[in-house]
Amino acid sequence: MHKRILIVEDEPAIRDMVAFALRKGEYEPIHAGDAQQAQVAIADKVPDLILLDWMLPGTSGLELARRWRREALTREIPIIMLTARGEENDRVAGLESGVDDYVVKPFSTRELLARIRAGLRRSREDDEDGSVTVGGLRIDGAAHRVFADSPEGEQPVQIGPTEYRLLHFFMTHTDRVYSRSQLLDHVWGGSVYVEERTIDVHIRRLRKTL
């Protein structure tokens, strides 16, 4: 069964190029030119991963990412942002909106496929992880959900996929200190290049969530 990849990109030439690369990589590409088409595609069948352009007509990719991270149906889908914005502040803004990774245009299809494989692999590894409880936090590995104790009883915690992976790693490796590079190796995987600044953004998001 081929993994379904939703391409949210308003430029047909880029969309077609990415779709061609995905089919060669044995993925099933789904097309969307704007936020509305993307919502329709997701309602039809939830994709395994989303490639999201930063600049879209109407609703921007940043706004879409924030919306999807708030909604239960899309909260756990890995999102890779496609952007012509290569400045560090722009990349940080993208990460803070809830995306898991970004690829700066112009990009090679080889790099894009590597990022997709890494994103899907991390998502799949999460599904195979067991449940764990530390203090007032509990991770249900089968349901891929986080719960926290409160005066009203156990409550679900809304959390993005990268923050989930970080939290799971911390909860299964307690009483140890890790460097940024070690976290990148353990949580992102050593085969994909990710800047160390990325870890700061996700740690900040995880702290804010908790």
Side-chain angles (χ1 to χ4, degrees):
M1 190 76 174
H2 295 325
K3 296 287 186 181
R4 290 167 59 93
I5 311 293
L6 174 60
I7 310 164
V8 189
E9 165 65 64
D10 64 322
E11 294 187 36
I14 295 178
R15 206 164 56 229
D16 292 344
M17 179 269 288
V18 171
F20 178 76
L22 290 177
R23 282 190 288 269
K24 285 190 69 175
E26 299 189 341
Y27 298 110
E28 179 186 351
I30 310 299
H31 296 260
D34 56 31
Q36 185 175 0
Q37 291 177 16
Q39 291 294 104
V40 170
I42 291 171
D44 180 55
K45 189 171 183 182
V46 177
D48 296 289
L49 183 142
I50 298 173
L51 297 175
L52 176 62
D53 187 33
W54 179 305
M55 302 296 289
L56 292 170
T59 304
S60 74
L62 288 179
E63 293 171 36
L64 259 186
R66 292 189 187 102
R67 180 193 305 171
W68 286 337
R69 285 296 172 248
R70 290 194 300 265
E71 296 175 356
L73 187 64
T74 49
R75 187 180 305 138
E76 297 169 6
I77 302 174
I79 300 174
I80 299 176
M81 180 160 277
L82 309 178
T83 174
R85 297 169 177 264
E87 295 299 320
E88 182 183 31
N89 288 341
D90 293 326
R91 296 197 299 268
V92 170
L95 291 166
E96 288 182 334
S97 72
V99 305
D100 298 279
D101 200 358
Y102 56 84
V103 178
V104 178
K105 299 176 184 176
F107 52 81
S108 70
T109 55
R110 184 179 175 185
E111 177 192 8
L112 181 63
L113 290 174
R115 300 277 186 171
I116 290 171
R117 284 193 296 271
L120 291 172
R121 184 171 63 249
R122 292 192 298 264
S123 178
R124 191 163 59 248
E125 286 169 355
D126 288 347
D127 291 338
E128 293 166 358
D129 281 332
S131 301
V132 59
T133 300
V134 176
L137 285 174
R138 179 175 71 86
I139 287 181
D140 183 336
H144 209 258
R145 299 185 70 192
V146 179
F147 298 89
D149 288 342
S150 76
E152 293 77 32
E154 192 175 66
Q155 300 291 324
V157 177
Q158 293 192 0
I159 190 168
T162 301
E163 286 69 49
Y164 175 94
R165 291 194 300 273
L166 274 169
L167 181 60
H168 193 284
F169 179 77
F170 287 139
M171 289 176 65
T172 52
H173 298 79
T174 57
D175 300 320
R176 284 195 59 184
V177 176
Y178 290 89
S179 67
R180 289 179 180 84
S181 60
Q182 287 173 323
L183 287 174
L184 287 172
D185 285 341
H186 286 293
V187 179
W188 275 262
S191 60
V192 174
Y193 173 72
V194 179
E195 294 177 2
E196 289 194 356
R197 175 73 186 274
T198 299
I199 198 79
D200 296 355
V201 176
H202 289 293
I203 291 291
R204 190 159 63 244
R205 284 212 315 240
L206 178 58
R207 285 173 173 160
K208 185 176 179 182
T209 298
L210 296 179

